[in-house]
Amino acid sequence: MNAESSSQQQTSRFPSKLITVVGTVLSACWAFITYMFPDPSTLDWFFFSWEGFIYFCAACFLMIAFFIAFITRKLHRYIKSTISIILALALALSFFVLGKEYAKPSLGFTDQNIIENNTPVFTGARVEMIEALRVQLVSCNIIAQTPSCTLELTSTNSDREIGFTSNTTFFEPNGGSLKLEKIFIGNKESRRTYGIELARGLPTRITLVFQSTQNDIDHIPSVKLVVQGLENRNQVIKFNDLKSG
């Protein structure tokens, strides 16, 4: 009898243990991806994306809610009603948070031609991956009142040519904007803004030089890059909240 009772207790505890394990794993995955790698596409993981991860979390939350509702169906009416209300509120909050993540520009809910980069990855790099083009902002400097930004571009799938339009802009803290004036590929100045040749898998370092400023700048609100050569359209990448030097 004792053995049977012990077996029943273990069986009744299994659902709660399962829910705890699943919840812990989901929370750990979410925290790891969010704080270690704010944009998983920078890892070049073609089998993984924020969109897929959000769908996975939504499905898991829904299954957990149904499972809890199923195992509590025989409880007292008031207890069951309380649990149902808590589940409904928890699901609403969970899907609200997931919806906010899904609505970010990088998931394509808003204008896909504009990508906002606000935070570095775990290694401190400011990097975006667009159509197999890795764009890393190495640094921005202001020398003799002339701002410049160094980028490292890598084409991961094929040789290609890209460029930057004259709308590429350096923003000052007072709201002023400085247009692109020169482009250096390595140590050599390029005569044109388009036609930067990228060999597959080879990082190419370029420097964008902007108009001179009369202001002392120690903080850069934003640098807007307008990239040409991606599926016959211009792609805008904005690196925000940068430090000089």
Side-chain angles (χ1 to χ4, degrees):
M1 188 69 178
N2 291 336
E4 183 178 354
S5 175
S6 177
S7 177
Q8 290 178 350
Q9 289 180 356
Q10 290 179 359
T11 303
S12 64
R13 291 174 183 174
F14 177 75
S16 60
K17 290 181 180 180
L18 180 62
I19 293 172
T20 302
V21 171
V22 172
T24 302
V25 171
L26 281 175
S27 301
C29 290
W30 185 275
F32 179 79
I33 295 297
T34 299
Y35 296 107
M36 298 287 277
F37 303 102
D39 183 3
S41 64
T42 61
L43 301 175
D44 205 15
W45 290 352
F46 297 107
F47 59 88
F48 182 84
S49 67
W50 256 133
E51 189 172 6
F53 186 65
I54 287 175
Y55 289 152
F56 172 75
C57 287
C60 286
F61 291 154
L62 196 59
M63 287 189 295
I64 290 173
F66 277 126
F67 189 66
I68 293 175
F70 177 77
I71 64 175
T72 59
R73 72 189 189 282
K74 294 183 179 180
L75 295 178
H76 191 276
R77 184 179 62 178
Y78 295 110
I79 298 177
K80 186 170 65 174
S81 299
T82 302
I83 293 176
S84 299
I85 293 173
I86 294 174
L87 277 179
L89 293 175
L91 274 179
L93 178 61
S94 300
F95 279 92
F96 176 76
V97 174
L98 292 175
K100 287 181 62 178
E101 293 294 330
Y102 187 84
K104 288 184 176 179
S106 58
L107 288 178
F109 188 80
T110 57
D111 189 353
Q112 295 184 5
N113 290 343
I114 301 178
I115 294 176
E116 303 271 353
N117 183 294
N118 298 310
T119 56
V121 296
F122 180 64
T123 58
R126 301 295 291 267
V127 58
E128 289 291 340
M129 179 73 74
I130 315 158
E131 296 177 16
L133 174 66
R134 179 185 172 92
V135 181
Q136 179 176 346
L137 179 65
V138 178
S139 65
C140 285
N141 296 287
I142 301 175
I143 301 175
Q145 301 297 102
T146 301
S148 64
C149 290
T150 300
L151 306 172
E152 192 171 86
L153 309 177
T154 308
S155 178
T156 61
N157 65 346
S158 63
D159 296 349
R160 64 168 70 179
E161 285 190 359
I162 67 155
F164 294 89
T165 73
S166 58
N167 292 326
T168 296
T169 307
F170 181 100
F171 290 96
E172 298 179 286
N174 62 4
S177 59
L178 307 174
K179 296 297 183 180
L180 177 65
E181 281 198 337
K182 300 178 183 178
I183 295 181
F184 287 84
I185 304 175
N187 295 321
K188 183 179 180 181
E189 182 179 352
S190 175
R191 296 292 182 180
R192 51 181 182 164
T193 58
Y194 186 79
I196 300 173
E197 296 185 5
L198 302 178
R200 180 175 64 88
L202 177 65
T204 300
R205 183 159 292 204
I206 70 168
T207 301
L208 308 179
V209 181
F210 299 89
Q211 296 172 329
S212 298
T213 179
Q214 300 300 319
N215 303 313
D216 293 328
I217 299 175
D218 57 0
H219 172 74
I220 304 166
S222 181
V223 174
K224 182 178 73 174
L225 309 177
V226 185
V227 185
Q228 295 175 297
L230 301 176
E231 293 187 353
N232 299 318
R233 63 182 173 84
N234 293 341
Q235 176 71 58
V236 178
I237 308 172
K238 292 180 67 179
F239 289 98
N240 303 320
D241 194 21
L242 304 171
K243 293 182 179 179
S244 176

